[in-house]
Amino acid sequence: MAAPRTVLLTGAAGGLGTLMRDLLPAYGYELRLLDLTPVADAPDAIAADLGDLDAVRAAVRGVDAVIHLAGISLEAPFDDILRANITGTYHLYEAARQEGVPRVVFASSNHAIGFTPRPGGGEPLIPAGTPHRPDTFYGLSKCFGEDLAQLYWDKHGLETVSVRIGSCFPEPTSVRMLSIWMSPADCARLFHAALTASGVGHTVVYGSSANTRLPWDLASARALGYDPQDDSEPYAAKLLAEHGELDPDNPEHAHLGGHFCTNPPMWPR
Ligand SMILES: NC(=O)c1ccc[n+]([C@@H]2O[C@H](COP(=O)([O-])OP(=O)(O)OC[C@H]3O[C@@H](n4cnc5c(N)ncnc54)[C@H](O)[C@@H]3O)[C@@H](O)[C@H]2O)c1
């Protein structure tokens, strides 16, 4: 595959989309932007709902790759998740297949495996091949997205790197985030690796910096050429002084998904 130049960034108005709009052009990409809501300072951004297959198909036409960030990024009622994350991601893949787009970078989440026990000291890191254990309807939609990516690779030869993102914010703001934080600069490095590595088929990677407290194995990300430069540890002393270490007897701390495992209701509908 030739190195991609034109990349559709869905979810461009969101938190991660805004960070990547700043950082990815330095790697030589021309970004085409899409979001449901207006994108600040980007009058050419495509205003489209993932629910509209024709609009999504027009948006992917002619791009070399897609970074798919759009969707609901927290727990929500099932019908809302179904529309935005499940049907929406299906539309994205179907549009990419119909328009011959060869590669997608899919924003999956740690919440696809949120009920995985957090490894204690000395226990093995969580591998990329660990079974899905979603902690919410939101996490379940990311499991669907990963399986959809596998289907479109096996059946149609459309490649995907599914990135199980930990927490990508300018700095970690909780003790849990010390383990799964990904600096925005490392996120751009990882997306660039995911766009340019050859022969990825469908590859699942974890999206984080090289944190001292890492719970998962970055091997599949490093195999793409990802070389993380950041570590959350410089933020640890302040956060630990405020909140203390995670208590493994607290169900919220015992699993990778944190409070997603315990807090949000499962909305009946
Ligand atoms: N930020 C993180 O740390 C993190 C962690 C894990 C996974 N992720 C995933 O990365 C992606 C981006 O996360 P974020 O933090 O920027 O989320 P965000 O909520 O800030 O942004 C999501 C964007 O998607 C758009 N969107 C929602 N539904 C849409 C639809 N039907 N059609 C078109 N656009 C729609 C929203 O308008 C919004 O701008 C999400 O898929 C999220 O699940 C993010």
Side-chain angles (χ1 to χ4, degrees), residues 98-146:
Q98 290 178 14
E99 294 296 330
V101 178
R103 185 171 298 188
V104 174
V105 176
F106 170 58
S108 184
S109 167
N110 66 89
H111 296 290
I113 58 158
F115 267 110
T116 305
R118 174 181 294 281
E123 287 179 335
L125 297 175
I126 301 165
T130 199
H132 284 158
R133 294 186 73 169
D135 54 26
T136 41
F137 295 140
Y138 164 69
L140 185 64
S141 75
K142 297 301 186 181
C143 298
F144 171 83
E146 291 185 10

Side-chain angles (χ1 to χ4, degrees), residues 11 13-17 34-37 48-50 69-73 84 107-109 138 142 165-169:
L16 197 48
L34 178 148
D35 206 293
L36 195 54
T37 62
D49 188 329
L50 293 171
L69 305 180
I72 295 173
S73 55
S108 184
S109 167
Y138 164 69
K142 297 301 186 181
I165 301 170
S167 293
C168 185
F169 295 95

Side-chain angles (χ1 to χ4, degrees), residues 164-265:
R164 286 185 190 149
I165 301 170
S167 293
C168 185
F169 295 95
E171 53 182 71
T173 55
S174 70
V175 174
R176 173 176 174 268
M177 274 174 69
L178 289 173
S179 58
I180 62 171
W181 179 63
M182 176 158 60
S183 71
D186 276 343
C187 184
R189 285 183 190 101
L190 179 52
F191 284 174
H192 176 57
L195 288 168
T196 52
S198 60
V200 300
H202 175 226
T203 299
V204 177
V205 305
Y206 292 108
S208 69
S209 289
N211 303 317
T212 301
R213 295 156 192 264
L214 214 55
W216 50 46
D217 190 349
L218 287 178
S220 60
R222 290 185 187 278
L224 301 178
Y226 174 53
D227 185 16
Q229 300 297 304
D230 295 314
D231 182 339
S232 63
E233 210 53 20
Y235 301 95
K238 180 171 177 286
L239 287 167
L240 290 169
E242 280 171 26
H243 307 287
E245 291 281 359
L246 298 180
D247 172 7
D249 293 330
N250 178 341
E252 182 178 320
H253 298 170
H255 300 99
L256 202 64
H259 70 275
F260 277 49
C261 294
T262 51
N263 256 357

Side-chain angles (χ1 to χ4, degrees), residues 142-159:
K142 297 301 186 181
C143 298
F144 171 83
E146 291 185 10
D147 279 351
L148 190 72
Q150 187 66 49
L151 172 66
Y152 273 71
W153 164 242
D154 287 334
K155 204 153 194 172
H156 304 299
L158 198 170
E159 293 192 305

